[in-house]
Amino acid sequence: MGVINVTPDSFSDGGVLFDRDAAVDAGVRMAEEGAAIIDVGGESTRPGAATVDGAEEHRRVIPVVEALAKRVDVPISVDTYKASTANAALAAGATIVNDISGLRYEPELANVVAKHGAAVILMHTRGRSRDMYQQASYGDVVAEVLDELRESMSFAASAGVSRSSLARWAAPLRAAPLQAAPLQTARRRRPHATGPRPQP
């Protein structure tokens, strides 16, 4: 996966690809060099990072996704937890949503993924950037992370996201392993989630 942070403050390369043209050129180069997915994000979620509203994230991300969709043949992923940004990015040519919160920050994101028949990467976190260190307290970290990922997967399925569209990875230590699902777009579409929401 080639990662494009269209941000001024990401911990690894903040500001380097904040310019649209620089971000697009970097994505094209990553694809040419063998990246299987290009992941575009517009909000840093490092500890202590400031939040970005939907309008600003949209301004940063969507032009890059639109341009890359015309220039690369590999799937484009949008790194966002916001339903509005994901909806616009999927309409602009992205086919994968990469949600660090596992559908906990904005559960309505599950409906957006299902509507577009997109793939979704469900990740795990506790708290927000401002307090994630304080929230990262576990009795059995592997078992608890696996349980919370399963909650996210169940909620996604209740929204109509097909199992083949769920991309999830977890270490199989002291718990039943989760196998990586293929990154392919789903055909099944349902408009509303009906199951219990994963708890933040």
Side-chain angles (χ1 to χ4, degrees), residues 39-63:
D39 186 63
V40 182
E43 177 178 352
S44 174
T45 51
R46 63 174 173 77
T51 58
V52 174
D53 64 34
E56 175 61 16
E57 187 182 45
H58 189 287
R59 185 191 69 79
R60 296 176 181 182
V61 167
I62 304 308

Side-chain angles (χ1 to χ4, degrees), residues 12 19-20 28 31 39 50 56 71-72 95 98 110 113-114 118 120 136 138 144 151 177 185 190:
S12 60
D19 174 76
R20 172 195 174 277
V28 171
D39 186 63
E56 175 61 16
R71 296 183 60 185
V72 302
T95 57
N98 180 10
V113 172
V120 60
Y138 302 87
E144 291 174 43
E151 288 178 5
T185 55
R190 293 181 184 173

Side-chain angles (χ1 to χ4, degrees), residues 143-168:
E144 291 174 43
V145 168
L146 284 169
D147 285 345
E148 290 171 28
L149 284 172
R150 289 191 180 96
E151 288 178 5
S152 294
M153 290 165 57
S154 295
F155 179 70
S158 77
V161 178
S162 71
R163 190 170 183 83
S164 64
S165 292
L166 291 169
R168 70 273 181 199

Side-chain angles (χ1 to χ4, degrees), residues 59-128:
R59 185 191 69 79
R60 296 176 181 182
V61 167
I62 304 308
V64 176
V65 171
E66 286 178 335
L68 283 174
K70 297 173 182 176
R71 296 183 60 185
V72 302
D73 294 326
V74 299
I76 299 170
S77 167
V78 59
D79 182 350
T80 187
Y81 57 84
K82 296 184 182 71
S84 61
T85 301
N87 188 57
L90 292 170
T95 57
I96 304 167
V97 176
N98 180 10
D99 177 14
I100 66 158
S101 80
L103 304 175
R104 283 174 163 75
Y105 291 175
E106 290 196 14
E108 58 267 33
L109 178 56
N111 291 322
V112 171
V113 172
K115 179 183 74 172
H116 286 274
V120 60
I121 300 172
L122 300 175
M123 299 176 66
H124 171 273
T125 188
R126 285 185 178 175
R128 302 277 183 146

